[in-house]
Amino acid sequence: MGPSLCDPQSLIKDLNPQQMEAVKYYGQALLIGAGAGSGKTRVLTRRIAWLLAHGFWASSILAITFTNKAAAEMRERLAALVGPEAEHMWISTFHSACVRILRRDGKEIGLTSGFSIYDTADCERLVKLISGDLNIDTKRYTPRMLLGKISDCKNSLTSWQDQLKSVNCDYKPGQRGYQVSAGDVDELVAVVYAEYQHRLSMANAVDFDDLIMRTVELFQRCPQVSEYYRHKFRYVFVDEYQDTNHAQYVLVRELSGIDSGEQPDPQMRGAGHVGPSWITVVGDSDQSIYAFRGADIRNIQDFEQDFPNAKTIMLEQNYRSTQTILDAANAVIAKNENRKPKKLWTALGEGDKIVGYAADNAQQEAGWIANEIARIHEEEGIAYRDIAIMYRANAQSRSLEEAMINANLPYQLVGGTKFYERREIKDALAYLQAIVNPADNVNVRRILNVPKRGLGVRAEGLIASYADAHDTTFFGAIEHM
């Protein structure tokens, strides 16, 4: 798709100086240090539109976000700025982008285009089946715990083969009667990981972590595929860069072509040119909270060392909060080690003081919150819909709900079971997965007795044993029997 007809000046007239500098920057690598409420989405979308307005091509842009909601918001904003050209960009999450790549080129590493994608429930079910076959105590080593360990391996790009080597284990996937050394958790994880990947491969399936790991594998094993995407995406944008893990970091490097040895193209107009892509990342090390799931804060801290001639622009004006709140946030975060100096400020004034209340128990806390809501509604005219209660864990909602009911206050509980996680929806999707991919043992076994047709644990076990003995899939065993 050709250059945008968007007026460049309209893209920067309402921006502050730092935002304007970030939008107009012309160079290979840019880190936008976006403090909370500093307008990062506006800057990111305006920067993309600015490039289009200066002759760059929409089809050569890849914008990566962390959530589908963020991707939809970015797509909507860009459509408002540049019109139909937004449809020619890839604007998606890491996982969605990798799905598209693997559907097209996964055959190069043994993935046919109809592969299944297991969600967390599917993965836990598969690990539970493996644990049963290996006589693993699932109360001591829960499927969730084992999956967490496997996820850590994948986020660090550690293969099951490397994991087995690291514990000097000679387990072969599919091996029957193997006994894990008592109390050796590392060996247990390595064996389950190996068997888990073996069964995913047999089922032509992947999990969410595989989407990143196997795309990296594809790029590193197939230079022609890597070159195709490197020349297709000349401009790579990554949002929430502080939340990237090692696998995602390597994926970004592969997409950028920074390690390809090619020399930069100073013009960077359109698709098909050689040389590393331009990369813009947006993030804030102060907002990195996902270390527990593999996020590596060094990715953003070391950006200037990782990408030659990188530029950092800090966005410090906050448009969301009062100065009192910003001062409190600055005081809390100031002691963090290895952070880039940044002081958020706002033109919204000092604002009200922050109130702290120490309750003796959950009921007293909930009662105080309910009374405070009633007070500000009556005395200050604040609408109920403009008030939110945030709590740390779902278990805390009960006392809060009881307090709302006792005070006769209207409320809406946000959350609960997501639509696609409901049992009946999972069952329906399992039927569709089994039709598209009969090798998907997990979903075929899920629907074996749904709706009930008199097939219990014993029947499932007999079919599974037959499948193992004849080296076929669970569905193949049903057909043979």
Side-chain angles (χ1 to χ4, degrees), residues 304-324:
E304 291 173 325
Q305 288 75 48
D306 289 339
F307 293 88
N309 304 314
K311 169 85 169 177
T312 297
I313 298 174
M314 305 298 289
L315 306 182
E316 296 176 309
Q317 183 175 356
N318 177 285
Y319 294 89
R320 185 185 299 158
S321 305
T322 61
Q323 193 63 48
T324 298

Side-chain angles (χ1 to χ4, degrees), residues 239-251:
D239 194 12
E240 304 290 4
Y241 193 64
Q242 79 278 353
D243 291 335
T244 52
N245 58 38
H246 179 69
Q248 291 162 338
Y249 163 78
V250 174
L251 177 63

Side-chain angles (χ1 to χ4, degrees), residues 145-157 193 196 207 209 245 293:
M145 182 274 283
L146 293 172
L147 266 179
K149 297 288 188 182
I150 293 171
S151 181
D152 290 343
C153 291
K154 293 184 178 184
N155 288 338
S156 63
L157 295 180
Y193 182 18
Y196 176 77
D207 62 19
D209 293 321
N245 58 38
R293 67 180 190 193

Side-chain angles (χ1 to χ4, degrees), residues 118-138:
Y118 284 4
D119 65 12
T120 303
D122 296 327
C123 296
E124 287 190 9
R125 181 174 172 80
L126 178 56
V127 171
K128 189 175 181 179
L129 292 171
I130 292 169
S131 297
D133 292 343
L134 294 174
N135 295 316
I136 294 171
D137 182 356
T138 54

Side-chain angles (χ1 to χ4, degrees), residues 226-255:
S226 176
E227 185 177 354
Y228 168 80
Y229 286 103
R230 194 167 68 248
H231 291 177
K232 173 178 174 57
F233 299 126
R234 307 308 296 134
Y235 321 100
V236 178
F237 298 81
V238 184
D239 194 12
E240 304 290 4
Y241 193 64
Q242 79 278 353
D243 291 335
T244 52
N245 58 38
H246 179 69
Q248 291 162 338
Y249 163 78
V250 174
L251 177 63
V252 170
R253 288 192 73 90
E254 291 291 334
L255 285 167

Side-chain angles (χ1 to χ4, degrees), residues 421-432:
E421 293 177 0
R422 296 177 185 173
R423 175 176 293 181
E424 64 273 20
I425 303 302
K426 289 278 294 176
D427 290 341
L429 289 174
Y431 269 97
L432 296 176

Side-chain angles (χ1 to χ4, degrees), residues 153-373:
C153 291
K154 293 184 178 184
N155 288 338
S156 63
L157 295 180
T158 303
S159 68
W160 63 267
Q161 295 94 332
D162 290 338
Q163 192 65 16
L164 283 175
K165 286 180 184 177
S166 72
V167 296
N168 297 316
C169 180
D170 59 357
Y171 179 78
K172 301 293 187 295
Q175 184 175 340
R176 296 182 181 87
Y178 187 88
Q179 291 294 320
V180 180
S181 303
D184 193 333
V185 178
D186 292 335
E187 181 186 354
L188 176 68
V189 170
V191 169
V192 173
Y193 182 18
E195 186 63 26
Y196 176 77
Q197 287 305 112
H198 171 66
R199 298 199 188 186
L200 283 177
S201 178
M202 292 289 291
N204 189 36
V206 296
D207 62 19
F208 286 125
D209 293 321
D210 276 330
L211 293 174
I212 310 291
M213 187 176 186
R214 302 223 61 186
T215 302
V216 171
E217 176 191 352
L218 173 66
F219 286 163
Q220 293 181 342
R221 283 178 47 184
C222 306
Q224 74 280 9
V225 175
S226 176
E227 185 177 354
Y228 168 80
Y229 286 103
R230 194 167 68 248
H231 291 177
K232 173 178 174 57
F233 299 126
R234 307 308 296 134
Y235 321 100
V236 178
F237 298 81
V238 184
D239 194 12
E240 304 290 4
Y241 193 64
Q242 79 278 353
D243 291 335
T244 52
N245 58 38
H246 179 69
Q248 291 162 338
Y249 163 78
V250 174
L251 177 63
V252 170
R253 288 192 73 90
E254 291 291 334
L255 285 167
S256 72
I258 201 72
D259 301 314
S260 66
E262 297 177 348
Q263 294 303 307
D265 177 0
Q267 297 300 316
M268 291 295 288
R269 305 280 176 172
H273 293 292
V274 297
S277 304
W278 281 12
I279 179 166
T280 298
V281 303
V282 183
D284 179 11
S285 58
D286 291 344
Q287 296 184 60
S288 181
I289 60 173
Y290 290 118
F292 70 92
R293 67 180 190 193
D296 189 345
I297 197 171
R298 291 175 299 178
N299 293 345
I300 193 167
Q301 290 175 339
D302 297 342
F303 181 81
E304 291 173 325
Q305 288 75 48
D306 289 339
F307 293 88
N309 304 314
K311 169 85 169 177
T312 297
I313 298 174
M314 305 298 289
L315 306 182
E316 296 176 309
Q317 183 175 356
N318 177 285
Y319 294 89
R320 185 185 299 158
S321 305
T322 61
Q323 193 63 48
T324 298
I325 291 175
L326 295 183
D327 289 343
N330 285 332
V332 170
I333 209 73
K335 302 297 183 182
N336 276 20
E337 297 179 356
N338 302 319
R339 68 184 290 264
K340 285 184 176 295
K342 179 172 76 276
K343 188 161 182 69
L344 294 178
W345 64 276
T346 183
L348 299 178
E350 289 296 319
D352 296 336
K353 290 184 177 181
I354 298 170
V355 176
Y357 177 77
D360 292 332
N361 52 53
Q363 289 70 33
Q364 190 181 61
E365 177 187 56
W368 182 87
I369 291 171
N371 290 335
E372 189 66 9
I373 290 173

